[in-house]
Amino acid sequence: PGDTLYIEPSATTYAQGTLTKPLTLIGNGYFLAENPETQANTNTSKIEGIYFQTGSSGSAVMGCALNGTSYIYVSNIRIERNYINSTLNIWANNLTDILIIGNFINATIGSSNYIGINNVLISGNFIEKSAGTAAITFGPEVSAVIENNVIQGIITINNSIFSNNI
């Protein structure tokens, strides 16, 4: 518990990860080929998705490309500065302190039919979904602050603060 794992960049995607203890995962970033003269290796630290299971409260993921669906089943999770290319689900009752900060997201962030989800912060992200598709979908069970994002797509929220978004 409490260890930091550095995810090496690779031309292939790492298998889906399941966390059962608090860990910090750090990748090398994304869009590295945009400025190839600044990187020795322009591959990305790609993971098929992450399941934050019981025991993983306090975990963080940074600098990775999440290419498969990820599920959050516990409180106190930080997802920061990642490229998220599939659905990010908050998927259990009575969760708090879910931080989604500074990511490039080409996916839907959502929760469905779970109660007592509080203190979700979605801030500083670029969220891009094609016209007519969901970018953020939270039912009345989710209390979130969604601020300082650039969002393209349909937003469905209740009981949340939505401010300073474009």
Side-chain angles (χ1 to χ4, degrees), residues 40-113:
N41 183 347
T42 58
N43 287 317
T44 302
S45 303
K46 297 178 286 228
I47 303 172
E48 189 57 38
I50 299 176
Y51 283 27
F52 296 95
Q53 296 282 7
T54 301
S56 67
S57 183
S59 292
V61 178
M62 298 173 232
C64 293
L66 303 177
N67 293 329
T69 302
S70 294
Y71 290 91
I72 300 172
Y73 295 106
V74 295
S75 296
N76 194 20
I77 298 296
R78 183 179 193 94
I79 299 173
E80 184 174 9
R81 296 186 316 268
N82 297 287
Y83 175 74
I84 302 171
N85 196 28
S86 192
T87 305
L88 179 59
N89 292 311
I90 302 171
W91 223 245
N93 292 324
N94 303 313
L95 299 183
T96 62
D97 302 321
I98 308 297
L99 307 177
I100 302 168
I101 302 170
N103 300 283
F104 185 94
I105 302 171
N106 185 16
T108 301
I109 302 169
S111 180
S112 179
N113 299 320

Side-chain angles (χ1 to χ4, degrees), residues 128-141:
E128 179 181 40
K129 290 294 290 180
S130 58
T133 58
I136 300 171
T137 303
F138 290 150
E141 71 281 354

Side-chain angles (χ1 to χ4, degrees), residues 142-156:
V142 178
S143 175
V145 174
I146 302 163
E147 63 184 8
N148 304 322
N149 299 286
V150 175
I151 303 171
Q152 175 181 315
I154 297 171
I155 301 162
T156 306

Side-chain angles (χ1 to χ4, degrees), residues 122-133:
I122 300 173
S123 180
N125 299 287
F126 183 88
I127 304 169
E128 179 181 40
K129 290 294 290 180
S130 58
T133 58

